[in-house]
Amino acid sequence: QVQLVESGGGLVQAGGSLRLSCAASGSIFRMAVMGWYRQAPGKQRELVADIKGESGTNYADSVKGRFAISRDNAKNTVFLQMNGLKPEDTGVYYCRFSLGLRDFWGQGTQVTVTS
């Protein structure tokens, strides 16, 4: 079992920045694909960004150039730096741990961007 704890969400004005963190339990973190997903009210959960190994990253087109995902394997933590936030970035942001058949989600952290 892997436990994920997200933090860093909040209320911010358009154009502002937030940094999300997700701390994972366990000793296999460095082998996992870590991802950030978001779910807006009335919409399906969607991939925002993920990272494989040390630096293999993938981003949704809507966040390219504004968001950056990174990880610190020594601290079992993945980050999402969000700059240039827009009202359409509002939603609950979830951290995901994927390794083979192991698939775990965090509880989510709310991000609200006002215009």
Side-chain angles (χ1 to χ4, degrees), residues 81-92:
Q81 178 66 44
M82 306 187 292
N83 300 324
L85 282 161
K86 303 175 180 180
E88 51 264 43
D89 295 319
T90 293
V92 179

Side-chain angles (χ1 to χ4, degrees), residues 47-77:
L47 173 69
V48 175
D50 62 23
I51 182 167
K52 303 175 183 179
E54 296 291 338
S55 60
T57 58
N58 177 49
Y59 295 93
D61 288 343
S62 60
V63 307
K64 284 181 181 177
R66 299 188 297 123
F67 291 11
I69 189 171
S70 61
R71 67 193 296 166
D72 184 339
N73 288 332
K75 296 182 178 180
N76 279 16
T77 302

Side-chain angles (χ1 to χ4, degrees), residues 1-7 21-25 34-37 39 45 78 92-98 103-109:
Q1 186 78 11
V2 174
Q3 293 185 331
L4 303 171
V5 180
E6 299 108 332
S7 61
S21 299
C22 172
S25 64
M34 297 300 300
W36 286 100
Y37 291 70
Q39 188 165 18
R45 192 173 298 187
V78 62
V92 179
Y93 282 68
Y94 297 90
C95 176
R96 183 184 187 185
F97 172 109
S98 301
D103 189 10
F104 301 99
W105 293 84
Q107 81 288 352
T109 185

